[in-house]
Amino acid sequence: VLSKIIGDVMEDASVVPEATPVVTISREELRQKCIATLRKLSDTGLLSSKQKRVLLTDIITSSARGETSMVEVAYELLCTGEEEKDEAEMDTGMEDFTEQCRVFAAMADED
């Protein structure tokens, strides 16, 4: 009800609310957060040591080539973004990221 009232008042006054600023992080910060997350997933048993090693190797080799690894892209898409995400959405994103990590590690292991 309150948001409807505020919305009506702002519309009547022709006031446009300011956009929520988007916080962007550098590629290096994203990479470090991704690596820290892989370590946590391994420490908690959600990824094996071998899976972690394969994924870290992919990040390192991609970085050395000046590229972004698929693991980093998955982390960015599934685990970062809008600040308005609630805890359930963050948990779902982390679960999806963990599953993608398993898939990437299996694909790399086949090569």
Side-chain angles (χ1 to χ4, degrees):
V1 174
L2 182 58
S3 62
K4 170 114 174 75
I5 293 170
I6 292 171
D8 290 343
V9 169
M10 292 174 74
E11 185 177 307
D12 290 345
S14 297
V15 176
V16 178
E18 291 184 31
T20 305
V22 176
V23 178
T24 57
I25 60 174
S26 72
R27 276 284 152 209
E28 185 58 32
E29 289 173 302
L30 181 72
R31 182 175 295 120
Q32 292 305 317
K33 287 182 179 216
C34 181
I35 290 169
T37 301
L38 290 176
R39 289 177 177 146
K40 287 178 190 173
L41 291 173
S42 179
D43 290 346
T44 58
L46 294 170
L47 290 177
S48 70
S49 294
K50 182 178 179 181
Q51 289 170 322
K52 179 183 80 169
R53 185 175 58 251
V54 167
L55 297 170
L56 289 175
T57 299
D58 180 59
I59 291 171
I60 292 165
T61 56
S62 294
S63 179
R65 291 189 304 253
E67 300 171 355
T68 302
S69 74
M70 292 299 290
V71 179
E72 293 169 273
V73 172
Y75 179 81
E76 181 177 25
L77 293 173
L78 299 171
C79 301
T80 65
E82 301 173 15
E83 298 300 320
E84 295 86 31
K85 285 185 180 179
D86 63 21
E87 192 172 324
E89 287 176 310
M90 291 303 293
D91 288 346
T92 300
M94 190 56 67
E95 288 172 13
D96 291 344
F97 176 68
T98 304
E99 185 59 34
Q100 279 304 130
C101 285
R102 292 182 187 127
V103 170
F104 294 147
M107 288 171 36
D109 205 27
E110 291 175 1
D111 292 339

